Amino acid sequence: SMRQARHLAFVQRALGTVDPDVLNVAVKQLHVCMRKLWKVVKWDNLLKEVYWRMTVDGLPTAARMHHADSKCLCGSVCPGLQHHFWDCPIASAVVEVMLSQLSGAWCTRTPGSSPLTRQHVWLMQPPAGPTALHRMTWLVVCLAAINAMDSGRKAANTLQQRVRAQHAAAVAALQPRAAPARPEDQPPITNFLQAAEPTAEQQQHNAAVQQHRQQQLEANLQQLAQQQQQQAARMLQEAKDLAVAEFWKLVADFVILNPCPARGFDTLPHAHPFMCLDPATNLLQLAPRL
């Protein structure tokens, strides 16, 4: 089916392999993962829908919508799924905050490579470590991360439109204003006058004035471009901060909605990152941040 083909393409992109045996196993694991999300994880289905749409490439990215001239706030042209959910600095900020919670006791660190890959986040498979991460908790963490990245994508699009509109208005303000249009039945009086040929000095003066205006316009446009880059950098940082805040808000939201550990979360260790069981009350709580 088309959905099966989309899942296969998604898994292939997540793993970066074309080995059919590996992909077939991974697709089956993806289906198991999604069944757990819907049947075991008690959370807003709208959050799960974002992931479901992601697995079938159903999110409105520029690449999917064929907007070849569209740019991300970070400057990437025609960004697609991999950009918004992994390569973009906004997505990287979410991955970094996930990594900040994973000490060496929970995630093996290898010099020269990141301990978190697309496979760990996109397929919700916990990274290896001396102590195994709680699988159900990792589903919640990855779902929160993917939704946070999607919120960052939306914020980046909104901020990019604002930057583009402000830039267009500023460029229009720098351009020389055209003379107001006259009615066709009211020709300018200069049409009835015989134009005199300008002298050599007048021609030289007019050329110098025109050159000065052009140089001034180019300088203003260059300054405007620098201001736009600085503004885009500030807004990119704003989108990154928003995505990170959204991640923590969602993790906290799950903890608040599920104080009593349901099936699958009743074996959560007391010292687990992201969320854990309170040793005194055995209730679910947000784990202290490192």
Side-chain angles (χ1 to χ4, degrees):
S1 66
M2 182 177 293
R3 184 175 61 178
Q4 184 75 7
R6 293 289 180 87
H7 283 171
L8 183 63
F10 174 74
V11 167
Q12 181 177 342
R13 189 179 299 179
L15 295 176
T17 181
V18 294
D19 188 326
D21 295 331
V22 174
L23 294 178
N24 288 333
V25 171
V27 168
K28 292 178 181 179
Q29 292 174 341
L30 173 65
H31 294 165
V32 171
C33 168
M34 296 181 74
R35 282 195 296 271
K36 287 182 179 179
L37 280 178
W38 258 266
K39 292 184 178 181
V40 182
V41 177
K42 307 301 181 183
W43 212 3
D44 192 339
N45 283 343
L46 290 177
L47 300 173
K48 303 172 188 178
E49 182 183 345
V50 171
Y51 182 61
W52 179 85
R53 295 180 67 184
M54 179 183 176
T55 62
V56 295
D57 195 19
L59 294 170
T61 63
R64 177 179 173 269
M65 306 302 288
H66 306 291
H67 294 165
D69 58 343
S70 179
K71 285 186 178 181
C72 178
L73 197 60
C74 68
S76 177
V77 180
C78 195
L81 194 72
Q82 179 168 328
H83 177 80
H84 287 301
F85 292 89
W86 194 256
D87 296 336
C88 183
I90 300 172
S92 297
V94 177
V95 175
E96 285 300 319
V97 80
M98 294 172 71
L99 272 173
S100 70
Q101 302 302 300
L102 297 175
S103 65
W106 297 95
C107 184
T108 302
R109 307 292 178 123
T110 304
S113 63
S114 174
L116 273 186
T117 65
R118 287 197 305 273
Q119 172 183 352
H120 298 135
V121 180
W122 285 19
L123 302 183
M124 301 187 176
Q125 298 175 0
T131 307
L133 286 165
H134 192 266
R135 287 188 172 274
M136 296 303 299
T137 300
W138 188 249
L139 293 185
V140 173
V141 169
C142 290
L143 192 60
I146 288 168
N147 275 272
M149 293 174 186
D150 193 51
S151 295
R153 174 186 69 84
K154 295 175 181 176
N157 289 341
T158 301
L159 294 171
Q160 179 72 311
Q161 292 174 4
R162 188 189 307 173
V163 170
R164 191 180 298 113
Q166 292 175 352
H167 179 71
V171 170
L174 292 176
Q175 300 295 336
R177 297 181 180 180
R182 293 175 177 272
E184 294 182 1
D185 58 349
Q186 187 181 353
I189 193 172
T190 53
N191 288 357
F192 302 98
L193 302 177
Q194 184 176 2
E197 290 293 331
T199 64
E201 292 181 355
Q202 290 174 330
Q203 290 179 356
Q204 185 176 4
H205 173 74
N206 292 341
V209 169
Q210 185 63 28
Q211 183 179 7
H212 175 73
R213 289 176 177 173
Q214 184 63 31
Q215 291 175 347
Q216 188 65 38
L217 177 62
E218 292 176 355
N220 290 338
L221 289 175
Q222 184 176 4
Q223 182 181 8
L224 183 62
Q226 293 175 350
Q227 293 174 352
Q228 184 188 22
Q229 291 178 353
Q230 295 172 355
Q231 184 184 22
R234 290 194 299 270
M235 288 186 171
L236 179 61
Q237 185 60 49
E238 180 181 341
K240 290 166 63 176
D241 294 342
L242 183 147
V244 170
E246 183 69 12
F247 170 77
W248 279 119
K249 186 185 81 171
L250 289 173
V251 175
D253 178 73
F254 181 84
V255 171
I256 292 171
L257 292 175
N258 299 273
C260 298
R263 179 172 62 90
F265 292 89
D266 50 358
T267 58
L268 187 59
H270 297 308
H272 195 276
F274 302 105
M275 63 182 74
C276 60
L277 292 180
D278 187 341
T281 63
N282 211 40
L283 296 178
L284 196 63
Q285 68 173 9
L286 194 67
R289 302 186 196 179
L290 299 178

